[in-house]
Amino acid sequence: MLDKYREAGKIASKVRNEAAKKATAGMKVVDLVDWIESEIKSTGAGLSFPCNISINQIAAHYTAVPNDDTLLCNGDIVKIDLGAEVDGYISDTAVTVIIEGDNADPYDEDGKPLNMPGRLDDGNPVVTDDELEERYNILDASATALENVISIVKDGVTLNDIGKEVETTMQDMGYNPITNLAGHSLEQYNLHAGLSIPNYPDGNTTQLKEGDHVAIEPFATNGAGIVSDLPQYAIYSYIKSKPQRQPLSNQLLKNIRNNYSQFNFAGRHLLNDKFDERKLNRALRPLISSGCVYPFAVLKDKNDGMVAQTEHTIIVEKEGCEVTTL
Ligand code: CO
């Protein structure tokens, strides 16, 4: 079991490191996620969740949607959050990169704006040197917070201690943690098992114990430090089966139940010869309203601050911890 956690960790960290180098201005988010997910699968591992690519004010839960032209642009602060699973044993890791290079034209051949639901701007932002420097500092605050937490984790550390370390580190550097996003414990086939690992001192005196598997993910921002829902979905979870009125919905639900009952999925994972984007949307809607499928809202900082995230999966030890996604 330990070996499988380690293998899942190694796969995810290798793909994460390569993805961080690959992400450049002018690249489409869909090409980056396709590359990441196929790299993970090429090792024989599965995805423990769809790869998230969250740009600037978007903190989490964005991934390429069907017909997505979202571009990465120069100066973007981009969270790449991915995970692998080996026989259900999970890794979960994230890195933030600042995008460099020349922007691509955000218009199609007819001069119409590209469809870019993964951006809150028009796809050709101007980022000043001061703004750029601030983004590097936010990234640093998130990465340093994770490093500091890892240095204090051992058997007996409380969740409050961890949250305090995150908050103190970030505030000393002039930024806020996002308080309504948290790390989580991991179990076989369960990405968000019992424990929630806070990014601020929440008063929880629960202790981590030797052998616990947890993902720790401090989010830093120059904004509110609270995320709110955007009115859009990119990632979904299977909840239950229930007969549907539309044959198309029944068909789709069967596919979801057979392939994604353990791990979350993206809409693009369901596209095939029989299901184009239009059919997919039509079939998916009743599954959501009947409670068979749960849609995760894309999350952004409430005050539109810039957001960085750094994440590792660790195993708690008597006198420290082992990072499986180093
Ligand atoms: Co996580």
Side-chain angles (χ1 to χ4, degrees), residues 65-277:
V65 298
N67 278 325
D68 193 330
D69 294 320
T70 304
L71 290 164
L72 299 179
C73 298
N74 186 274
D76 281 350
I77 180 166
V78 174
K79 284 70 66 188
I80 304 173
D81 189 348
L82 56 96
E85 59 91 9
V86 176
D87 292 338
Y89 297 100
I90 294 167
S91 60
D92 183 355
T93 183
V95 66
T96 295
V97 290
I98 309 285
I99 301 297
E100 295 177 4
D102 295 329
N103 288 346
D105 188 358
Y107 298 94
D108 67 14
E109 296 118 29
D110 304 326
K112 281 202 210 106
L114 295 176
N115 176 40
M116 293 198 271
R119 305 192 62 85
L120 302 185
D121 60 31
D122 63 0
N124 201 6
V126 178
V127 182
T128 66
D129 287 350
D130 284 351
E131 285 169 339
L132 192 63
E133 192 186 328
E134 169 126 296
R135 290 177 192 191
Y136 277 104
N137 291 338
I138 298 167
L139 188 167
D140 196 25
S142 161
T144 307
L146 180 59
E147 222 173 89
N148 289 352
V149 167
I150 286 171
S151 75
I152 64 160
V153 167
K154 59 177 186 174
D155 182 89
V157 72
T158 68
L159 300 182
N160 188 70
D161 293 337
I162 293 175
K164 194 172 171 192
E165 190 67 38
V166 172
E167 186 184 77
T168 308
T169 303
M170 290 185 187
Q171 288 184 346
D172 283 353
M173 296 171 81
Y175 299 104
N176 293 319
I178 291 183
T179 53
N180 59 343
L181 287 174
H184 43 99
S185 52
L186 303 161
E187 283 165 15
Q188 191 186 20
Y189 292 111
N190 191 354
L191 179 63
H192 291 257
L195 295 178
S196 174
I197 318 292
N199 287 322
Y200 69 104
D202 65 348
N204 190 339
T205 53
T206 304
Q207 298 177 343
L208 292 186
K209 291 287 168 209
E210 184 178 5
D212 281 351
H213 295 255
V214 291
I216 298 179
E217 45 185 321
F219 289 80
T221 182
N222 59 352
I226 297 169
V227 288
S228 51
D229 291 357
L230 282 167
Q232 63 185 95
Y233 310 118
I235 295 169
Y236 305 87
S237 179
Y238 169 78
I239 304 292
K240 63 179 180 198
S241 277
K242 209 185 199 176
Q244 302 290 314
R245 210 173 318 144
Q246 287 188 42
L248 219 54
S249 292
N250 278 319
Q251 215 179 315
L252 186 67
L253 187 54
K254 201 172 146 200
N255 175 10
I256 294 170
R257 191 186 55 221
N258 289 343
N259 296 297
Y260 301 100
S261 60
Q262 310 273 24
F263 295 107
N264 295 345
F265 58 94
R268 64 190 151 76
H269 292 148
L270 305 175
L271 295 176
N272 57 40
D273 300 345
K274 283 195 207 127
F275 272 89
D276 58 12
E277 187 195 1

